[in-house]
Amino acid sequence: MNPHAVQFQSDAGRLAADLTHRQRIQSAMAKYGAARGPRQALFRDWQEGRQTAAETKWAGLNQLDEHLVAFEKNATARGTQVHWTSTSEQARQVIVDILQRHRAQRIVKSKVMTSEEIHLNQLLESLGFQVVESDLGEYIQQLKGEPPYHFVFPCMHLSREEISDLFENHLGTAQTHDPEELTMIARRVLRQKYIEADVGITGANFLVAETGMVSITENEGNARLTAALPRVMITLVGIEKILPRLSDLALFLPMLATAGTGQPLTCYNTMYGGPRQPGEVDGPEEWHVVLLDNNRTTLLADPEQRDALHCIRCGACLNVCPIFKNVGGFSYGTTYQGPIGSVITPHLRGLQDWKHLSGASTLCGACTETCPVKIDLHHHLLHNRRNGVQQGGSRGEGLLWRAFAFLMNHPRLYGLAVRLGRLAQPLQNMIAGEALDPLQAWTKTRELPELAPQSFREFWKNHRPALPQDQRRSS
Amino acid sequence: MKITLFIPCFIDTLYPRVGISMVQILEKLGHVVTFPEALVCCGQPPFNSGYWPEARQVARPVLQGLADAEVVVIGSGSCGAMMKVFYTELFAGEPEEAAARALSAKCYEFSDFLVNQLGVTDLGAVFPHKVTIHDGCHGLREMNGKAPPRALLKQVRGLELVEMAEAETCCGFGGTFATKFPAISSAMGEVKCASAAATDADFVVSNDSSCLMHLQGLLSREGRPLKTIHLAEILASV
Amino acid sequence: MTERDKILQRIRLALKNPAPMPGAHGSATGLRAARTAAESARDWLPQVGPSPGDWMTLFTKHCSDLKTEIVVVGDAAAAQEQLRRLALAEQWQRVATHGAGEAAEAAGALGLPVLSTDGGYDAKELEACDAGISGCDALIAQTGSILLTARSGGGRALSVLPPHHVVVARREQLVPDLPAAFAWLHHCYGPADWPSMMTLITGPSRTGDIERILVLGAHGPKKLTVLVY
Ligand code: SF4
């Protein structure tokens, strides 16, 4: 097994058994569920809405090249500088160059998942820049020295007590277990950061080809401040975020909010179309949009799973995922957790290293059902499993399944196996759950069912229907 | 109507009562039941493990064996979903693609078949117990939704149905997942058992024996008095 | 070859293999032209009543759910009076506003020191104001949102830096739904005269990051008031 898979098994196993963790995540997700259900029910037709959203994204991706070129043209016409980057290194370099050109020291970031993907903070800090995350959850995670636990709810695994301790240690503030007071502590600290910052870095939820705009969805107002006060603004965004038209947002914004948090709209949905324009009173003098590929074109090249690029990162598939609820966000070891992370990470970072995440699913389909853009998530988990086997399955397992197929195709042999099983069961019972037990993976926590003394097939052989004439076809 | 049953290996060997109950119910309703004994497995285990050629090897005889069936009724949502939904994917671009689509169109999960094809909900069953229902994921999301099993239970004399919290959340079985990721699987099952137990029911009922095998395994190990039972067994109780 | 060309080339190569239409599961039957969100959003979004009266009822209901304060009055003078009451109740010392419209008039009538963002401002001073008083482009019944832009909202920061944001709006600015709001934007600013910032504000700033418990005023204003006349 590869080290990522080993790590996953051990982290997931540990957290799945951690009852405090389980309780905390389940109760947070219950709040999410209670908010979302009624909100979704208000839609005239949610199912047709998600079909439409999926088709809009599908059509957008089918002409991704043209839309990106249009975005660039429209954005540039308004003074925006657009940068194209293929890899993490290139994106980091572009950003560092901008920072150095402006002799920037202080940088304020609003929520930028793509920057987690390219490990931007570590680099900037090592180069001596002062970087501060401004989204409350991200700020808490930054103080904690941890990546986001969930790409929408970054610190949902922490209790208010833990957050209070963290603030006491890093900010010297007095202990308080009131979420409001804790939030106000962060507000006071971060206000100064916006005002002092030389450069603001944001992510983006949508790129609008028609108008060359970027749309940012948030609740706290930190992105709005990040885009308002610093002299220079940088937006780092994946190339797949394209929407053909501005009015497409009329559907996407409420769907994102409904699926993400159960709100009608999040607090601020802001469309930026350039740096400060002539006659405007504020806003950055320069705005750079850094378009990031970073293997998104690899996923694009797989038509079977291309729809995974429709993702609007609402986080709903994590929220309903029973695996996520039990293993938590860190076990994945990926920038994007949960079902969507399990689907795309093999494409972004290598199938053989990350296929185990696709294996770690019961294929219950809750993710696919909840996804506002109808990504076939659990089917793609199956596709990744198949591709993983095709491109390097384990020899032993291959043999096992060939033997299985042989057995199932030979009913006599199968009948014999059942009878042998009945003989073996008492022996197995003696060692159930112990190290020697070949079925230990099951029996360590669960009782094994007993083989019935008479199988259905044995019953059927002697069965005569209670009907007047026996019309059964013998097979 | 001539109804063909598909009885997968684990119902055959571990839960024959489920299959027997289905036969009794359908025959009592006046239908002719046939059972192709040679078909043991739908091929889901290798399919879910990524071994698609091996899965096709298992599935081909199923396609052939059921080609002439009028309708196919399956007592496990999971095998049902395999045949109804995933075969078309497994055989996409293969010579059997058309056969897979034809089979998909005539496969039904047992409770869905009773309610939506035969139009019956009252089978005259008596089951004087408090039960709670677990929606097997594949039955729920790929086959028929929540309504049919509930419509049937509602007509059972003496039965009291109490819904558990998050009835739609997966129990954590997931086939080979249960042994490949035993810790996660067990944790999910514990959550499910806890919400079932919280209803104070005597039985957890489901239309999928594979979920029940997992849950019963956990319940017995935890020493909880709660028992599992397949919907067909309740419907056949008189 | 530039990085831009390389990326575009990879995209074109990738798109040589078409992806099945969503929901079709690879079947070629039932293929049709894709629907677009821009054209059909209204058919799926939450219902809004037919008359402006329905819109106002819905908008007001959203406001109360969202913890936006809404005050509907008869005329501009009454709106100014309401603003005066707010100023008194919250003991404002200094307010910020912009332009020469209703918002500026109401702010001016308070008799307090006023910071106007017109022609630029010092961020620290704006931060120290007790309220930001702005106009808007539209109010949206469907979601309880306020649509404002860098133009109608006095820049990017006025509506988000002071602790209380007050929007002064006229009744006829209320539109039924999001498609109407986007149509309005196109009408006002399209095809090429867009303000550099356009935002939909739906309730005062908030966060649920700590144990998913709602706290208002995370970074933006803790209070949001809409004065409609
Ligand atoms: S895959 Fe779907 S549900 Fe998951 S985050 Fe993306 S859009 Fe949301």
Side-chain angles (χ1 to χ4, degrees):
Chain A
M1 269 212 274
N2 80 69
H4 300 291
V6 173
Q7 184 71 40
F8 176 78
Q9 278 279 11
S10 97
D11 288 356
R14 182 169 43 77
L15 276 166
D18 179 340
L19 295 181
T20 319
H21 176 264
R22 186 191 293 177
Q23 178 55 38
R24 194 170 291 161
I25 303 309
Q26 310 263 355
S27 91
M29 290 319 188
K31 283 181 198 158
Y32 161 81
R36 176 183 170 164
R39 182 67 57 200
Q40 182 173 315
L42 290 176
F43 276 66
R44 242 175 275 206
D45 197 331
W46 173 262
Q47 293 307 334
E48 289 299 321
R50 65 202 281 263
Q51 176 69 24
T52 302
E55 289 180 21
T56 306
K57 280 277 186 180
W58 176 79
L61 283 182
N62 284 345
Q63 293 170 317
L64 183 59
D65 51 339
E66 293 166 36
H67 289 311
L68 285 171
V69 169
F71 170 83
E72 181 189 40
K73 178 169 155 275
N74 294 323
T76 312
R78 301 167 51 79
T80 310
Q81 300 180 44
V82 178
H83 309 263
W84 301 68
T85 62
S86 291
T87 61
S88 300
E89 294 77 47
Q90 289 172 10
R92 288 196 297 253
Q93 196 54 51
V94 166
I95 292 170
V96 168
D97 285 347
I98 298 168
L99 296 178
Q100 286 174 341
R101 184 149 30 84
H102 287 278
R103 299 183 202 292
Q105 287 177 340
R106 286 169 297 240
I107 295 143
V108 65
K109 285 175 71 201
S110 65
K111 205 159 194 301
V112 199
M113 285 311 296
T114 36
S115 81
E116 300 291 334
E117 195 183 317
I118 69 168
H119 304 291
L120 184 64
N121 285 14
Q122 293 88 320
L123 174 74
L124 296 186
E125 278 161 12
S126 76
L127 293 174
F129 296 102
Q130 296 169 34
V131 187
V132 63
E133 295 288 347
S134 61
D135 172 87
L136 176 61
E138 299 262 352
Y139 177 63
I140 290 169
Q141 287 307 96
Q142 189 185 26
L143 292 182
K144 192 126 205 299
E146 281 177 348
Y149 175 94
H150 175 300
F151 61 73
V152 176
F153 310 137
C155 66
M156 66 176 294
H157 63 306
L158 297 179
S159 67
R160 56 185 93 183
E161 291 81 9
E162 287 166 297
I163 294 167
S164 177
D165 288 346
L166 200 63
F167 283 2
E168 184 183 26
N169 291 339
H170 286 85
L171 310 172
T173 51
Q175 283 279 345
T176 167
H177 294 166
D178 178 1
E180 163 128 26
E181 280 179 34
L182 289 166
T183 304
M184 291 311 127
I185 292 171
R187 177 183 168 112
R188 279 193 293 278
V189 173
L190 290 167
R191 286 241 137 186
Q192 286 317 306
K193 305 284 182 189
Y194 301 111
I195 294 176
E196 291 163 3
D198 306 307
V199 175
I201 303 183
T202 75
N205 298 83
F206 303 99
L207 293 166
V208 182
E210 178 190 26
T211 55
M213 287 177 195
V214 149
S215 175
I216 301 180
T217 290
E218 55 155 345
N219 265 315
E220 298 182 359
N222 59 314
R224 285 200 54 201
L225 289 167
T226 304
L229 301 177
R231 281 193 338 271
V232 177
M233 172 176 167
I234 301 173
T235 298
L236 176 64
V237 53
I239 51 172
E240 84 284 13
K241 293 275 172 246
I242 210 86
L243 277 184
R245 295 159 66 176
L246 184 65
S247 305
D248 288 329
L249 291 172
L251 183 63
F252 278 90
L253 298 179
M255 288 192 89
L256 173 55
T258 300
T261 51
Q263 291 172 274
L265 273 186
T266 54
C267 242
Y268 301 107
N269 285 281
T270 312
M271 294 142 268
Y272 292 101
R276 175 180 184 168
Q277 301 293 298
E280 290 184 347
V281 305
D282 56 7
E285 289 149 26
E286 268 182 33
W287 183 31
H288 299 267
V289 175
V290 182
L291 299 173
L292 178 69
D293 177 348
N294 210 21
N295 287 326
R296 283 162 175 77
T297 44
T298 312
L299 181 50
L300 190 73
D302 180 355
E304 193 175 43
Q305 294 191 51
R306 187 176 294 158
D307 67 350
L309 291 170
H310 296 175
C311 176
I312 55 175
R313 300 283 188 267
C314 69
C317 56
L318 285 64
N319 302 347
V320 301
C321 177
I323 308 287
F324 180 90
K325 285 191 224 179
N326 283 287
V327 309
F330 292 143
S331 301
Y332 291 84
T334 55
T335 306
Y336 307 103
Q337 310 80 11
I340 184 64
S342 301
V343 168
I344 63 176
T345 308
H347 298 268
L348 303 181
R349 292 166 70 181
L351 178 60
Q352 293 308 326
D353 280 348
W354 297 97
K355 65 180 180 186
H356 58 281
L357 295 179
S358 297
S361 164
T362 60
L363 306 167
C364 75
C367 47
T368 306
E369 178 182 61
T370 205
C371 177
V373 288
K374 253 186 143 171
I375 300 171
D376 264 337
L377 290 159
H378 72 298
H379 289 251
H380 296 335
L381 296 174
L382 280 163
H383 299 145
N384 281 341
R385 293 180 188 187
R386 178 203 60 204
N387 296 347
V389 169
Q390 266 173 7
Q391 296 167 29
S394 98
R395 216 167 238 268
E397 204 185 344
L399 267 174
L400 193 83
W401 288 119
R402 274 192 287 286
F404 176 89
F406 187 80
L407 180 69
M408 292 303 169
N409 283 348
H410 293 80
R412 286 245 185 86
L413 203 58
Y414 163 81
L416 184 67
V418 172
R419 287 194 293 280
L420 282 177
R422 276 190 205 124
L423 291 177
Q425 182 134 30
L427 300 174
Q428 198 279 332
N429 282 347
M430 300 195 306
I431 50 167
E434 291 177 30
L436 275 178
D437 183 358
L439 305 174
Q440 201 210 14
W442 179 274
T443 53
K444 203 170 164 204
T445 53
R446 294 159 285 211
E447 297 295 325
L448 210 58
E450 297 274 338
L451 285 164
Q454 187 196 37
S455 73
F456 180 81
R457 279 175 174 74
E458 287 159 349
F459 152 83
W460 185 256
K461 282 205 171 42
N462 306 314
H463 174 66
R464 289 294 167 267
L467 279 179
Q469 77 275 39
D470 187 344
Q471 304 178 339
R472 282 186 301 152
R473 188 182 48 164
S474 60
S475 47
Chain B
M1 190 186 294
K2 193 150 100 189
I3 298 163
T4 304
L5 286 189
F6 178 82
I7 302 289
C9 62
F10 65 96
I11 292 191
D12 179 39
T13 58
L14 302 171
Y15 306 107
R17 285 244 48 94
V18 174
I20 296 169
S21 302
M22 287 167 65
V23 173
Q24 286 170 350
I25 291 165
L26 293 171
E27 286 183 348
K28 197 168 125 190
L29 290 169
H31 300 283
V32 179
V33 177
T34 70
F35 171 54
E37 288 169 63
L39 309 181
V40 182
C41 175
C42 65
Q44 192 180 52
F47 175 73
N48 281 0
S49 300
Y51 290 81
W52 288 25
E54 289 77 4
R56 279 192 283 268
Q57 221 175 305
V58 179
R60 261 184 214 112
V62 178
L63 284 181
Q64 283 159 13
L66 297 174
D68 297 330
E70 198 178 325
V71 290
V72 180
V73 172
I74 304 143
S76 149
S78 193
C79 306
M82 181 68 193
M83 291 157 70
K84 189 162 192 72
V85 178
F86 294 102
Y87 269 16
T88 53
E89 205 160 329
L90 179 62
F91 287 104
E94 302 279 326
E96 297 90 344
E97 187 171 348
R101 287 193 189 282
L103 177 59
S104 164
K106 61 183 180 188
C107 278
Y108 299 95
E109 185 275 328
F110 180 59
S111 66
D112 176 36
F113 181 72
L114 287 177
V115 175
N116 295 321
Q117 298 304 310
L118 298 183
V120 288
T121 49
D122 189 350
L123 295 156
V126 182
F127 195 74
H129 299 281
K130 192 163 166 182
V131 307
T132 186
I133 179 165
H134 161 64
D135 292 287
C137 296
H138 282 127
L140 177 71
R141 300 200 176 85
E142 318 279 359
M143 303 287 284
N144 57 359
K146 292 183 77 154
R150 286 169 177 76
L152 291 161
L153 286 174
K154 229 176 130 190
Q155 302 298 332
V156 176
R157 317 284 183 277
L159 182 142
E160 184 193 350
L161 176 65
V162 220
E163 292 286 349
M164 67 171 107
E166 299 197 50
E168 295 163 27
T169 301
C170 178
C171 71
F173 174 64
T176 52
F177 170 83
T179 52
K180 284 189 179 167
F181 298 91
I184 311 176
S185 169
S186 303
M188 289 164 69
E190 283 165 20
V191 173
K192 175 75 16 182
C193 290
S195 44
T199 63
D200 244 352
D202 309 314
F203 290 91
V204 194
V205 54
S206 175
N207 46 7
D208 204 323
S209 291
S210 56
C211 308
L212 294 179
M213 169 168 75
H214 180 229
L215 294 177
Q216 187 63 63
L218 284 161
L219 290 168
S220 304
R221 180 59 60 87
E222 290 172 8
R224 292 190 196 253
L226 189 59
K227 290 260 166 282
T228 58
I229 188 167
H230 190 281
L231 177 67
E233 295 178 77
I234 292 187
L235 297 179
S237 308
V238 279
Chain C
M1 201 170 173
T2 63
E3 222 47 51
R4 175 184 188 276
D5 294 339
K6 284 187 202 160
I7 292 174
L8 288 172
Q9 192 183 51
R10 281 199 298 274
I11 292 173
R12 285 172 190 140
L13 203 65
L15 291 176
K16 287 223 161 88
N17 291 317
M21 197 167 191
H25 282 286
S27 115
T29 54
L31 276 192
R32 52 184 166 71
R35 283 197 294 245
T36 77
E39 275 155 18
S40 69
R42 185 167 285 149
D43 299 339
W44 328 123
L45 290 174
Q47 199 98 35
V48 180
S51 77
D54 299 329
W55 308 345
M56 188 54 94
T57 311
L58 184 59
F59 184 77
T60 309
K61 174 171 185 314
H62 274 301
C63 284
S64 99
D65 291 348
L66 291 163
K67 315 231 184 312
T68 303
E69 192 185 353
I70 170 165
V71 186
V72 185
V73 294
D75 56 18
Q80 288 185 11
E81 176 52 30
Q82 285 297 332
L83 191 67
R84 227 187 328 268
R85 284 198 199 158
L86 266 182
L88 223 58
E90 295 186 2
Q91 302 180 320
W92 293 348
Q93 304 296 317
R94 189 175 190 205
V95 297
T97 187
H98 68 103
E102 300 88 1
E105 266 174 43
L110 290 175
L112 293 171
V114 175
L115 172 103
S116 170
T117 58
D118 297 357
Y121 58 89
D122 178 82
K124 284 206 177 89
E125 281 186 41
L126 181 59
E127 211 262 328
C129 289
D130 298 303
I133 301 162
S134 80
C136 69
D137 277 84
L139 306 175
I140 303 161
Q142 188 168 52
T143 51
S145 309
I146 297 147
L147 171 64
L148 63 74
T149 66
R151 263 173 248 175
S152 65
R156 297 189 182 199
L158 175 64
S159 53
V160 75
L161 200 51
H164 191 158
H165 176 208
V166 182
V167 180
V168 183
R170 277 171 289 104
R171 227 172 257 269
E172 58 275 20
Q173 286 183 297
L174 180 63
V175 300
D177 57 11
L178 287 165
F182 279 94
W184 175 251
L185 284 177
H186 274 286
H187 170 78
C188 294
Y189 307 114
D193 185 31
W194 306 99
S196 73
M197 187 229 39
M198 312 194 291
T199 189
L200 292 155
I201 299 175
T202 310
S205 155
R206 64 197 56 212
T207 184
D209 274 347
I210 301 175
E211 295 187 9
R212 309 277 344 113
I213 292 166
L214 177 70
V215 175
L216 298 182
H219 290 286
K222 210 173 172 56
K223 294 191 73 179
L224 174 63
T225 303
V226 189
L227 292 179
V228 192
Y229 67 89

